[in-house]
Amino acid sequence: MSRTVITFGTFDVFHVGHLRVIERAAALGDRLVVGVSADALNMRKKGREPVFSQAERLAIVAALKPVDEVFTEESLELKRDYIRQYDADVLVMGDDWQGRFDEFRDVCEVVYLTRTPAISTTALIEKISAGS
Ligand code: C2G
């Protein structure tokens, strides 16, 4: 039986922490589907425009070897529908979301992976803006 893994994220200013979570998610199954946050969703979540547009972020994630399919995540409230639509057996998120998606344990496994330390989109933006 083939196992489908689903994960979600903005993946803005794509960095090695993003790559590691995608690689580890893919290793938990046979097929990896990634929901990439829409620009409007990112605005609602983080209160700022992403550096890269959703079309650019989708193209970057879709080109990664471990990724089989991508789609646009329009709303955080649609997770259950996305899990059903893509027939996911496992939902994977980084542990900054620890416990937040436990309600989906009735339809799939829910796994939180340790975040890669010392790297984040926000820190990168600050570093680049500071020119250091
Ligand atoms: N991540 C990580 N290590 C880092 C930074 C990020 O493992 N140093 C992981 C996050 O835990 C997440 C994924 O990379 O699982 C994507 O991170 P973000 O782009 O920050 O995603 P976020 O905006 O939290 O969106 O429906 C859920 C949301 O869309 C998640």
Side-chain angles (χ1 to χ4, degrees), residues 7-12 15 17-18 21 24 37 41-42 45-46 73 76 79 93-97 101 114-117 119-120:
T7 192
F8 297 87
T10 310
F11 303 108
D12 191 25
H15 59 66
H18 296 144
V21 80
R24 287 176 293 158
S37 301
L41 171 57
N42 196 254
K45 275 192 305 191
K46 305 195 174 166
E73 180 190 26
L76 294 179
K79 259 199 194 59
M93 287 304 298
D95 63 1
D96 44 327
W97 292 90
F101 301 124
T114 311
R115 270 170 75 92
T116 301
I119 188 158
S120 73

